[in-house]
Amino acid sequence: MNIAKGLMGAALLLAAAQGAQAATLDVVRQRGAVACGTTTGFAGFSAPDAQGKWQGLDVDLCRAIAAAVFGDADKIKVVPLNSQQRFTALQSGEVDVLTRNTTVTQQRDTALGIIHAGINFYDGQGFLVPKSLGVKSAKEINGATICLQTGTSNENTLADWARANNVSYKPVVIETFNEVVNAFAAGRCDVFSTDASGLASIRISKLQNPDDYVVLPEIISKEPLGPFVRQGDDAWLNVVHWSLSAMIEAEEYGVTSKNVDEQAKSANPNIKRILGVTPGGGANLGLDEKWAYNIIKQVGNYGESFERNVGQGSPLKIQRGLNAQWTQGGLMYALPIR
């Protein structure tokens, strides 16, 4: 009798899990759009352009998910969120996925009911200073006032680094990103500390005279940034994870938005699987077999997205560095679509 009860309980748990797995994908399809949590405005990653259309590396990932689910990258709903709002919005179901520069940490991945679905930008915390301050290294900022945004991992990272390097500082912690930028630009603090990508974005897009500022050479932390979804919904986790993987693997095989139709005729079995010429990948995800083709055709591969948003084709001009393909000395290594 106890065995029977145990089997029945296991069956109920399995049924509940299977129901949970299908939930977000079903909700997204019924809504007709993917609701993505983004920043409130972070040039190169997620920010509205002059026409009010959201652009950026993280927005491209949101568009890729929509292309995979609907075959239409424009079926997205952008929900701007500050650092304090982002996890609650995902937990509550206000958004389906966080596509905003969020560091993957053990605590976030285990204790908040959410889980990461890949890494789309390898970053690290750094320091932005006015050239007039006359410092060449972060270790020279002893006694400086440092602007930080509350609700981020930057506060603890800076405290740990300062303690380890015997550097004293006065934190100026402000709630919203734009207010932190304004405080730094107004001279309320000597230093701005956040992810290096954010510093590059701030310097180019937010400061009146970018050449008057310099990013110091030190990177004091690992900040792997990536999308998050709710735990317990494996089907949706798979959709988000493999949408990102498709962009990365497409770049590895030289499949771009411009040559994708020609590449569909390729004899390469890996390309045939990516583009759905050889079926199976779509069925595994509960999507159309052209799910990855639609991503690449409408959004592009990872390299295309990187270059136009944050790389050499953008004002930020960030080098690929760790975000280069693994074949080029970087960390971008997509799991095989097979």
Side-chain angles (χ1 to χ4, degrees):
M1 187 171 180
N2 288 339
I3 293 174
K5 282 183 177 179
L7 290 172
M8 185 178 294
L12 289 171
L13 285 172
L14 178 60
Q18 289 172 336
Q21 288 171 0
T24 305
L25 185 54
D26 286 346
V27 168
V28 167
R29 283 175 166 151
Q30 289 165 9
R31 186 193 303 119
V34 182
C36 297
T38 69
T39 66
T40 53
F42 184 4
F45 290 83
S46 51
D49 63 16
Q51 288 73 46
K53 184 175 182 180
W54 283 77
Q55 308 279 2
L57 189 75
D58 289 335
V59 176
D60 274 358
L61 179 54
C62 178
R63 297 183 71 244
I65 298 164
V69 173
F70 298 108
D72 185 347
D74 290 331
K75 289 192 173 182
I76 65 171
K77 177 186 176 185
V78 172
V79 182
L81 301 166
N82 64 32
S83 296
Q84 294 75 42
Q85 297 167 328
R86 56 184 164 172
F87 299 128
T88 303
L90 180 59
Q91 292 159 347
S92 69
E94 181 184 351
V95 297
D96 308 310
V97 56
L98 282 182
T99 51
R100 74 180 305 287
N101 57 322
T102 298
T103 301
V104 178
T105 67
Q106 192 261 7
Q107 190 263 350
R108 289 173 177 175
D109 224 22
T110 59
L112 302 181
I114 63 177
I115 191 166
H116 84 284
I119 307 299
N120 73 329
F121 194 89
Y122 290 93
D123 210 346
Q125 187 171 338
F127 302 90
L128 178 68
V129 299
K131 287 181 179 177
S132 60
L133 202 61
V135 299
K136 303 295 183 184
S137 166
K139 293 180 180 179
E140 298 174 19
I141 62 175
N142 198 50
T145 54
I146 302 181
C147 276
L148 299 152
Q149 185 181 7
T150 190
T152 70
S153 58
N154 300 140
E155 292 179 77
N156 290 336
T157 298
L158 178 60
D160 290 345
W161 174 85
R163 193 177 303 113
N165 288 277
N166 198 29
V167 172
S168 66
Y169 68 96
K170 300 171 185 174
V172 178
V173 183
I174 301 172
E175 185 171 339
T176 67
F177 182 75
N178 284 335
E179 287 177 0
V180 186
V181 175
N182 292 339
F184 175 67
R188 282 184 56 193
C189 43
D190 306 308
V191 183
F192 195 135
S193 185
T194 188
D195 298 345
S197 60
L199 299 178
S201 175
I202 292 161
R203 180 176 170 273
I204 291 296
S205 66
K206 300 286 188 180
L207 298 176
Q208 191 170 3
N209 298 302
D211 290 341
D212 291 345
Y213 299 86
V214 62
V215 177
L216 297 178
E218 288 89 352
I219 296 295
I220 66 170
S221 70
K222 294 185 292 186
E223 304 294 337
L225 310 179
F228 278 82
V229 296
R230 287 178 290 280
Q231 286 188 11
D233 193 341
D234 292 350
W236 184 242
L237 171 65
N238 285 338
V239 169
V240 175
H241 170 83
W242 288 102
S243 293
L244 173 57
S245 289
M247 295 180 74
I248 297 170
E249 192 166 39
E251 182 186 15
E252 180 181 343
Y253 287 104
V255 183
T256 71
S257 58
K258 295 179 177 63
N259 70 17
V260 65
D261 289 310
E262 187 63 29
Q263 289 278 21
K265 303 170 190 173
S266 171
N268 186 318
N270 294 304
I271 293 175
K272 291 171 76 172
R273 281 191 290 266
I274 293 168
L275 299 183
V277 176
T278 300
N284 293 339
L285 295 169
L287 303 175
D288 187 275
E289 292 296 347
K290 294 187 76 173
W291 66 280
Y293 167 90
N294 289 329
I295 291 173
I296 300 159
K297 180 73 173 178
Q298 297 179 38
V299 183
N301 66 33
Y302 178 80
E304 289 179 279
S305 178
F306 186 100
E307 291 304 328
R308 70 169 169 261
N309 289 303
V310 300
Q312 299 311 299
S314 78
L316 273 63
K317 308 240 181 281
I318 295 173
Q319 299 293 326
R320 285 294 294 266
L322 294 178
N323 296 294
Q325 285 281 331
W326 65 284
T327 53
Q328 303 295 321
L331 297 179
M332 283 296 166
Y333 182 108
L335 302 181
I337 298 175
R338 66 170 186 257

